[in-house]
């Protein structure tokens, strides 16, 4: 599989492709941005979620082609796909990211350390993030009933904000 790059920059790999196949519209792909491992991937993901960027573009080596005079178009018959980039402005306006998901939207839970890091990124102190992750997410992972999860989360947030 080719790498996921940011704006065709070979020095900025930001993810991996999980699946690539041709369908009736063209090349269809499913990939994963390495948001916990690569800072630029996290930035790109945030921009995609916000709708600021959604372009895709391929980098390839052309092996076989045909020029169509009637349409004034170059038909690519055989290429070596080198990379697929998330880009600000795709050359082909129809080459777009259609869906942006996160681990949570797929029904997965983050690890405790990932959750604590996300809380710290939101402005919680290390102590606050540890308390919330330990008493909220841990119980969710362990299968605590939903009503108790909500109550515990509210109590934790109130104690962090100094409310009683």
């Amino acid at each position: 599989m080719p790498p996921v790059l940011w704006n065709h920059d070979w020095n900025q790999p930001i993810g991996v492709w999980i699946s690539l196949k041709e369908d009736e519209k063209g090349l269809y792909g499913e990939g994963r941005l390495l948001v916990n491992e690569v800072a630029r991937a996290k930035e790109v993901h945030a921009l995609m979620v916000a709708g600021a960027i959604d372009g895709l573009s391929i980098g390839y080596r052309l092996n076989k082609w045909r020029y169509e005079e009637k349409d004034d178009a170059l038909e690519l018959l055989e290429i070596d796909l080198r990379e697929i980039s998330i880009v600000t402005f795709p050359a082909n306006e129809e080459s777009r990211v259609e869906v942006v998901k996160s681990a949570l939207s797929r029904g997965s839970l983050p690890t405790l350390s990932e959750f604590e890091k996300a809380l710290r990124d939101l402005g919680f102190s290390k102590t606050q993030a540890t308390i919330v992750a330990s008493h909220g997410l841990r119980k969710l992972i362990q299968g605590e009933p939903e009503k108790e999860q909500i109550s515990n989360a509210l109590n934790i947030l109130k104690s962090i904000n100094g409310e009683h």
Side-chain angles (χ1 to χ4, degrees):
M1 292 285 191
V4 178
L5 300 180
W6 169 241
N7 272 324
H8 297 294
D9 185 343
W10 284 93
N11 294 312
Q12 292 193 59
I14 58 172
V16 295
W17 290 100
I18 297 165
S19 161
L20 291 172
K21 61 185 174 197
E22 280 190 72
D23 65 13
E24 65 282 347
K25 290 173 71 176
L27 182 62
Y28 171 84
E30 293 181 14
R32 182 171 63 91
L33 295 178
L34 303 173
V35 296
N36 293 319
E37 297 85 3
V38 179
R40 174 70 70 195
K42 184 175 183 174
E43 294 170 6
V44 170
H45 183 262
L47 291 166
M48 291 170 67
V49 167
I53 58 172
D54 67 352
L56 289 171
S57 184
I58 62 172
Y60 58 92
R61 182 173 294 138
L62 188 56
N63 295 331
K64 195 174 181 183
W65 68 94
R66 176 176 52 211
Y67 177 72
E68 293 287 338
E69 281 188 49
K70 177 182 154 199
D71 299 325
D72 189 30
L74 187 65
E75 183 179 2
L76 308 180
L77 301 174
E78 186 180 310
I79 65 168
D80 284 331
L81 187 59
R82 308 288 286 159
E83 53 91 4
I84 304 173
S85 286
I86 297 171
V87 297
T88 309
F89 303 108
N92 179 344
E93 285 298 318
E94 294 179 20
S95 184
R96 300 289 180 179
V97 173
E98 292 181 359
V99 178
V100 180
K101 295 182 179 180
S102 68
L104 292 175
S105 69
R106 290 190 307 271
S108 301
L109 292 174
T111 65
L112 283 173
S113 61
E114 290 170 340
F115 187 58
E116 284 180 27
K117 183 182 180 318
L119 290 170
R120 287 194 309 276
D121 290 345
L122 290 170
F124 285 82
S125 71
K126 182 167 177 40
T127 302
Q128 291 171 329
T130 301
I131 291 169
V132 171
S134 296
H135 296 289
L137 183 63
R138 183 181 310 277
K139 291 184 179 180
L140 181 60
I141 291 170
Q142 293 170 347
E144 183 176 307
E146 186 174 318
K147 189 174 182 180
E148 288 180 48
Q149 291 169 12
I150 294 168
S151 175
N152 285 341
L154 288 173
N155 289 335
I156 290 166
L157 290 173
K158 285 179 184 177
S159 69
I160 288 171
N161 289 328
E163 300 173 24
H164 298 285

